[in-house]
Amino acid sequence: LTRLAQALPCLHGFVGTDFGDLYARARSLAASDADLNQLNQVLSGLCMSNLMQGKADLAEDLVRELRDLSSVHRQDATLRWNAEMLSATVQYHQGDLVGTLDHLARGLTAAPLAAPFGPIDPSISIRSFAAAAFWQAGRPAEGRQHVAAAVAGAASVHPL
């Protein structure tokens, strides 16, 4: 179910698909015996689904759950990265630019940018997001650095 839920946004976008329902079903099926990686993917997917549907309060609850897991499993860099990046995204959508930059700074140093989320290349998307956030915070030089990193990453995956 998780793999199908990851593919649906690629085909239909984040809004108007049932990928959130698939993540919710995957969560209920794996409630007691999910491994950490599965739980990370399911909570991340549910968080994005709720955020894209304008349910920032629910997304915030899910990201808080991810941060709690991350604090218990400190050795898991992917979990920590997801928790920080999704926290930054939720904070941004709630209008908290200071919180966004704080989570971005921690997340960008937490792990290599290789945490999978379906068809999205996180190293490119998060750098693009960071560029906009830093620019909006009045830090255009840092924004330009993130844009350059995003373009370089995109060129390495899909030559421009």
Side-chain angles (χ1 to χ4, degrees):
L1 287 175
T2 303
R3 294 225 186 261
L4 178 59
Q6 289 174 340
L8 282 176
C10 186
L11 299 171
H12 304 287
F14 282 106
V15 180
T17 67
D18 59 353
F19 84 104
D21 294 338
L22 288 171
Y23 278 116
R25 179 74 176 132
R27 184 178 190 187
S28 68
L29 288 174
S32 61
D33 61 344
D35 72 14
L36 194 56
N37 185 48
Q38 286 176 321
L39 191 55
N40 184 8
Q41 288 181 17
V42 169
L43 289 174
S44 297
L46 281 170
C47 179
M48 285 299 294
S49 172
N50 281 293
L51 192 59
M52 293 299 120
Q53 294 173 16
K55 302 173 187 172
D57 292 343
L58 292 174
E60 187 174 12
D61 291 342
L62 290 160
V63 84
R64 188 175 303 115
E65 192 172 340
L66 271 173
R67 283 195 313 264
D68 291 346
L69 274 174
S70 174
S71 67
V72 170
H73 300 280
R74 295 179 187 271
Q75 77 286 358
D76 191 317
T78 301
L79 178 62
R80 188 170 61 252
W81 187 86
N82 267 2
E84 292 296 347
M85 292 302 105
L86 287 170
S87 293
T89 305
V90 170
Q91 296 283 308
Y92 183 82
H93 282 273
Q94 292 177 323
D96 182 357
L97 198 52
V98 173
T100 299
L101 296 178
D102 183 44
H103 286 290
L104 277 171
R106 286 198 306 262
L108 289 168
T109 61
L113 302 176
F117 186 73
I120 298 170
D121 181 327
S123 65
I124 297 167
S125 61
I126 208 64
R127 292 289 183 183
S128 300
F129 171 54
F134 279 98
W135 193 280
Q136 291 168 359
R139 296 161 64 177
E142 290 169 89
R144 282 191 300 271
Q145 290 172 348
H146 289 292
V147 165
V151 170
S156 72
V157 175
H158 303 287
L160 304 175

